[in-house]
Amino acid sequence: MRHLLAATAIGFFLAGSVLAQQGGDQLGEITFEELQDKQSSSAYFGIGAGYVGGFWFYPAKDISTNLVKPYAMHGDYTAPIFTSGINAFLTLSLVGNLRVGFEALSGSQTHTESMGGSQYRAALSLSSAALQLDYAFPLLRGLIVAPGVYLGRGTLQFEHTSGPSSADWPNANGNLGRAVTSTLAAPFWLVRPTLAVEYAVSGYAAVRAWGGYSVSAMGTWQENGITTVNNVPSGLTARGFVVGFGVFIGLFRSE
C-alpha cells in the first residue's frame, strides 16, 4: 500500500511537471508572437527623392506696408507665394523609424507696369535649404504620419528694375545700358516644425501632404550686395505657415 501511494505521488508530480512545461512553452510562444505583431505594426522603411511644392503664407501685408521706394512702387504683394523644389530622405533603421533628409524650395512673385516709354518690374523671391529630421509612425499598411522639424537657411529678396520699353541696337553714340536693377536682400535662419502624412501607392512610389510653421531669424540686409541697410522694420520677414505636397520615387515599406 505504501508503495502504491508513493508511485501515485510520483505520477502526479511527473504529470504536473509536464503540464507546467507545456504551459511555459505556450506562454513563450504567445509572448514571441505578440512581440512580432507589435514590431510588425510599427515597421517602416523609406528612402526616396522627388518633387515638393508648397504655399508659403509669408506676412505680405506687413511687407507691403513697410517697403519703401523703389521696391514698393508697383502694387502690394499677396500671400501665399508658391514655392517648389526637391526633397530627399532616408530612414535610419538603427534609430527606429527616424528619417533624415534635405529640402530645397524657392518661389517668386512679380509685378510689372508700363508708363510712357518705360517698363518697371518689382519682384519678391523666397528661397530656403533645410535639413529634415522626422519620425514615421505607421497607421495602416502603406500609410504613415511623420512629425518632425526642418532646420536651415534661406534668403528673402526684393528686386526692382526700370528701363526703356524698347531700344535700338547701339549706333556710334550708343543707347543701351539704361536699364537699372536694384536688389534688397537678407539671409535668414529657418526652423519649421512640420507634420506630414504619406501614402505609399506602391513599393516604389509615395505621395505626401504636409504643413508647418516657419520661424525665421533675419540676418543683415544689403542693397545690391554692397550697402548695409540698418534699422529695417521687423515686418520684413519670412515667417509664416507653409502647406504643400510631394511626389517621390524610391523604396517604401510600412506594415
Side-chain angles (χ1 to χ4, degrees):
M1 187 70 170
R2 183 179 301 174
H3 294 295
L4 179 60
L5 290 175
T8 303
I10 293 173
F12 276 114
F13 175 77
L14 293 176
S17 299
V18 171
L19 290 175
Q21 183 178 1
Q22 290 179 346
D25 292 341
Q26 292 175 354
L27 179 61
E29 292 175 359
I30 293 173
T31 303
F32 180 71
E33 290 174 357
E34 289 177 348
L35 180 60
Q36 279 188 318
D37 292 340
K38 184 177 180 180
Q39 290 176 342
S40 176
S41 64
S42 61
Y44 168 80
F45 176 80
I47 177 172
Y51 172 83
V52 287
F55 296 90
W56 199 320
F57 291 83
Y58 67 98
K61 184 176 180 180
D62 291 342
I63 286 176
S64 297
T65 299
N66 288 285
L67 271 180
V68 295
K69 293 182 179 181
Y71 306 102
M73 288 180 63
H74 310 290
D76 292 341
Y77 292 108
T78 58
I81 187 174
F82 180 73
T83 59
S84 62
I86 60 171
N87 178 260
F89 64 91
L90 61 88
T91 307
L92 299 180
S93 300
L94 296 177
V95 194
N97 296 339
L98 180 68
R99 306 191 305 181
V100 297
F102 173 80
E103 175 196 81
L105 290 172
S106 65
S108 63
Q109 187 176 130
T110 303
H111 297 285
T112 59
E113 183 178 358
S114 296
M115 291 193 306
S118 298
Q119 189 82 8
Y120 301 90
R121 184 180 72 240
L124 176 154
S125 62
L126 267 171
S127 61
S128 66
L131 172 69
Q132 168 190 349
L133 293 171
D134 61 10
Y135 198 92
F137 293 94
L139 300 179
L140 300 171
R141 186 176 183 85
L143 180 66
I144 68 163
V145 60
V149 64
Y150 286 69
L151 308 169
R153 191 167 171 84
T155 300
L156 174 59
Q157 176 175 293
F158 305 96
E159 180 180 282
H160 182 267
T161 301
S162 62
S165 299
S166 62
D168 294 325
W169 186 258
N171 52 32
N173 297 322
N175 61 354
L176 289 182
R178 290 184 291 163
V180 178
T181 297
S182 295
T183 61
L184 178 65
F188 60 86
W189 291 104
L190 168 73
V191 178
R192 191 182 77 220
T194 301
L195 180 66
V197 178
E198 295 180 13
Y199 181 71
V201 296
S202 73
Y204 306 100
V207 293
R208 174 192 297 173
W210 57 273
Y213 186 85
S214 293
V215 179
S216 61
M218 303 303 299
T220 302
W221 286 92
Q222 285 192 324
E223 186 174 41
N224 297 328
I226 297 176
T227 305
T228 299
V229 183
N230 301 310
N231 302 315
V232 176
S234 60
L236 272 62
T237 178
R239 69 176 183 272
F241 286 100
V242 187
V243 295
F245 62 92
V247 180
F248 301 90
I249 58 173
L251 296 174
F252 309 97
R253 186 195 77 237
S254 65
E255 300 175 356

